[in-house]
């Protein structure tokens, strides 16, 4: 007779696959998945510490000794927020945590972007939460809306098919607009033109740990181009032809792909197929000039011309992840394993000394980093 405990696990696995199709996030930005805590794998802590903050010396206290120095060294960086007026209070929670954990001493500005003008209430309340400057920008019409050259009959048929298959956000044109904007246009906004680095912050996220160092300076000093916390598998029904389009671009432009890239993160067979791994881009700290560069610009133009943002439902998470993996050396992609972060339904809770040092208030047993549905082990394995 089967052990009742394994019956429960098997039942849970079946429920998980159902949730994979139906779960909707509190803030409609990303497709979501679920992974119950009792299916967790053990976290190889000995590998985590070496990858947490590169070679930077992190002070043991929760407040940098020079935090009151007006001449403290800073990166040319900014927080980037894509939000609606209706997101005010859910973002206020995120912003307050960012200020309490890090920015009260770091003093970086915010750039808010919206496809409609921000109202006075949004501006007043967000500016009140920080001593830094807040800038509010309107997204250019052509950067947000479906292009005229998209075959609407074909796009409509694709949405109807996704509705039939119950693909999350499969019906939504605004969601596709958002994915396309984040993939190819946010870094072109005039309010970001003078910055080199950004940290993407979304409504309804949590930051669990104090940061006693500056992640932007890690990016700058170690010449990193992309930083992440969570990674997982993409919902393949949303990107059936994405990898074929990527391979087409690589064949036509091999000069953009360095030999020491992170192909092993996104492909298990040397690039023949996509393993669906991506960095969850609701958290990302990145080099704006990398996205503005020739390789990624031409890559995005190739994807955009193929129409997959509307004929399918290509997300900015796999697009950013594939772009970073292919066009940057693998050691320029950084896992911030010491940053406690949650975007429903997943969280990263730092382990061991990282949890203690950050005065984290998350449960270290609830950490997605090495769950079976996470791809972070593939990132770690690249550096063995």
């Amino acid at each position: 007779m089967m052990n009742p405990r394994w019956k429960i696990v098997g039942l849970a696995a079946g429920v998980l696959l159902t949730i994979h199709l139906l779960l909707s996030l509190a803030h409609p930005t990303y497709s979501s998945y679920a992974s119950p805590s009792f299916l967790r794998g053990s976290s190889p802590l000995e590998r985590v510490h070496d990858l947490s903050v590169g070679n930077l010396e992190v002070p043991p206290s929760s407040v940098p000794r020079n935090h009151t120095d007006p001449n403290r060294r800073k990166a040319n960086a900014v927080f980037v927020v894509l939000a609606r007026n209706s997101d005010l209070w859910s973002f206020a929670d995120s912003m307050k945590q960012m200020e309490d954990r890090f920015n009260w001493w770091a003093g970086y500005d915010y750039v808010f972007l919206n496809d409609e003008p921000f109202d006075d209430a949004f501006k007043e309340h967000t500016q009140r939460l920080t001593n830094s400057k807040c800038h509010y920008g309107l997204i250019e019409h052509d950067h947000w809306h479906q292009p005229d050259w998209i075959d609407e009959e074909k796009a409509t048929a694709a949405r109807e098919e996704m509705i039939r298959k119950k693909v999350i956000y499969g019906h939504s044109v605004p969601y596709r607009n958002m994915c396309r904007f984040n993939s190819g246009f946010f870094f072109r906004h005039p309010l970001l033109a003078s910055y080199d680095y950004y940290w993407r912050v979304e409504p309804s996220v949590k930051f669990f740990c104090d940061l006693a160092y500056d992640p932007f300076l890690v990016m700058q000093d170690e010449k990193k181009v992309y930083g992440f916390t969570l990674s997982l598998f993409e919902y393949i029904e949303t990107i059936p032809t994405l990898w074929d389009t990527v391979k087409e671009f690589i064949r036509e432009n091999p000069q953009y792909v360095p030999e020491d890239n992170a192909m092993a993160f996104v492909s298990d067979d040397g690039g023949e197929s996509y393993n669906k791994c991506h960095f969850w881009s609701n958290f990302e700290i990145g080099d704006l000039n990398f996205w503005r560069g020739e390789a990624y610009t031409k890559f995005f133009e190739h994807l955009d011309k193929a129409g997959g943002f509307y004929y399918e439902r290509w997300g900015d998470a796999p697009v950013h992840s594939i772009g970073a993996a292919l066009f940057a050396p693998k050691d320029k992609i950084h896992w911030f394993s010491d940053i406690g972060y949650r975007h429903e339904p997943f969280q990263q809770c730092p382990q061991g000394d990282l949890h203690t040092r950050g005065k984290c208030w998350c449960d270290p047993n609830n950490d997605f980093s090495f769950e079976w549905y996470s791809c972070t082990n593939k990132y770690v394995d690249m550096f063995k």
Side-chain angles (χ1 to χ4, degrees), residues 76-82 91 97-98 101-103 106 108-111 186 192 195-202 205-207 209 211 213-217 219 227-229 281-288 336 339-341:
N76 183 23
V78 68
F79 296 107
V80 174
V81 182
L82 181 64
F91 183 75
Q97 290 186 52
M98 175 60 78
R101 305 281 80 78
F102 170 61
N103 202 48
Y108 286 100
D109 292 349
Y110 291 80
V111 165
F186 86 92
L192 294 174
Y195 294 102
D196 295 322
Y197 298 94
Y198 72 100
W199 185 335
R200 179 167 159 179
V201 184
E202 294 203 350
V205 301
K206 289 182 171 62
F207 297 97
C209 310
L211 279 176
Y213 72 99
D214 189 337
F216 285 127
L217 289 178
M219 301 294 290
F228 74 99
T229 54
S281 60
N282 46 70
F283 174 106
E284 56 184 16
I285 304 176
D287 182 344
L288 288 162
F336 284 99
I339 294 181
Y341 173 77

Side-chain angles (χ1 to χ4, degrees), residues 59-63 100-101 104 207-212 338 340 349-350 352-362:
S61 66
S62 61
V63 180
D100 290 349
R101 305 281 80 78
W104 70 272
F207 297 97
F208 295 115
C209 310
D210 290 345
L211 279 176
D338 59 327
C349 188
D353 291 343
L354 299 179
H355 193 280
T356 302
R357 183 168 61 199
K359 299 183 179 179
C360 304
W361 53 276
C362 53

Side-chain angles (χ1 to χ4, degrees), residues 133-177:
K133 293 180 180 179
C134 294
H135 309 274
Y136 304 89
L138 185 65
I139 297 170
E140 184 178 327
H141 180 278
D142 290 346
H143 289 181
W144 184 261
H145 291 90
Q146 178 175 303
D148 293 340
W149 48 263
I150 289 292
D151 182 338
E152 179 54 33
E153 182 176 348
K154 181 178 178 180
T156 298
R159 294 194 300 273
E160 291 175 349
E161 178 65 11
M162 286 193 176
I163 292 171
R164 186 184 68 79
K165 293 181 177 179
K166 297 181 171 59
V167 175
I168 191 168
Y169 305 127
H171 67 288
S172 176
V173 174
Y175 185 89
R176 289 169 168 82
N177 292 338

